[in-house]
Amino acid sequence: MEIFILLQEAMASKDAVVEFSGNKQRVKVKPINWNESTLKVIAPDFTSGHVIVTLYSKGLVKGNACLQYYTIMEDIAHFLQQAADPVKFMCQAFQVSSLEKLDQTLASCLMRKMPTGGFKGLQCGQSPAGECHSEDIPSLLHFAAQHGLKDLASALLQCPGSRQALNISNSHGHTPLDLAHVHGHNQLFILLQESLVSNRSEA
């Protein structure tokens, strides 16, 4: 990802260093001059979370800013909250022509980079299990259940946070199981029901 830094005064790239720090990582990158008032730098890979970006010139701090890094699935969750037609948006973003292909693509993305500590798109903020959430779609599991994305739901159920998400009701009082039932996604309904039974037997 390219980041452009607007300068208040001209600065030669040979004198500049951009430091990215966060999540116990610290990486320094040399920028290039995009023009006389702008530097361009390639952002290094970081795990999800806040990353502080600091610009140095000849060892002196010239400015800093905070970036929010997302995992692939957190990025998806972030954009879904803003899309008027989230399914159409996702199909366009992934250049797929059907809901089935979208389901396979999203599940594949998640399985390639399975989060070890859960992710914000599944954890429903701080809502305790069994309580109602203020949003229509409080988690990616609710989204998958509403739209019949069985492959995605199956992958999500393997992630930390899935047990909590299964028991969270949206603003209409619907859990993912309820959404799958209401929208007629029978195979997904069975999958979620089996997962709930399994969770209860393990508790």
Side-chain angles (χ1 to χ4, degrees), residues 159-172:
C159 288
S162 63
R163 182 174 298 187
Q164 178 194 14
L166 271 170
N167 291 286
I168 291 291
S169 299
N170 67 6
S171 59
H172 302 289

Side-chain angles (χ1 to χ4, degrees), residues 23-191:
N23 298 319
K24 300 180 180 180
Q25 291 178 264
R26 191 179 297 271
V27 179
K28 291 186 177 181
V29 182
K30 287 291 293 182
I32 63 172
N33 282 105
W34 182 253
N35 56 42
E36 62 181 15
S37 60
T38 308
L39 294 176
K40 184 180 81 168
V41 64
I42 303 299
D45 290 334
F46 268 77
T47 56
S48 63
H50 293 292
V51 175
I52 303 299
V53 182
T54 305
L55 173 64
Y56 294 90
S57 178
K58 297 181 179 179
L60 300 176
V61 175
K62 292 297 183 179
N64 55 54
C66 181
L67 297 180
Q68 176 68 43
Y69 271 63
Y70 295 97
T71 64
I72 290 175
M73 296 308 292
E74 286 174 348
D75 209 14
I76 290 170
H78 175 72
F79 283 114
L80 285 177
Q81 293 173 359
Q82 304 177 38
D85 185 340
V87 171
K88 183 178 180 180
F89 170 83
M90 296 302 292
C91 285
Q92 291 174 343
F94 284 99
Q95 298 182 335
V96 296
S97 57
S98 69
L99 190 65
E100 181 181 1
K101 289 181 179 178
L102 176 63
D103 188 18
Q104 294 170 354
T105 300
L106 292 176
S108 176
C109 286
L110 179 59
M111 294 304 293
R112 283 201 305 270
K113 293 190 176 182
M114 178 71 74
T116 56
F119 53 86
K120 296 173 186 175
L122 189 59
Q123 291 175 330
C124 310
Q126 300 300 318
S127 298
E131 289 197 5
C132 289
H133 198 278
S134 60
E135 298 177 3
D136 289 345
I137 304 293
S139 80
L140 282 176
L141 189 59
H142 289 75
F143 176 81
Q146 178 167 316
H147 296 285
L149 302 174
K150 184 174 178 289
D151 290 347
L152 176 60
S154 180
L156 288 169
L157 289 172
Q158 300 176 51
C159 288
S162 63
R163 182 174 298 187
Q164 178 194 14
L166 271 170
N167 291 286
I168 291 291
S169 299
N170 67 6
S171 59
H172 302 289
H174 292 153
T175 65
L177 183 68
D178 297 328
L179 289 171
H181 177 66
V182 167
H183 292 278
H185 305 306
N186 296 329
Q187 290 185 337
L188 182 48
F189 175 81
I190 292 171
L191 173 69

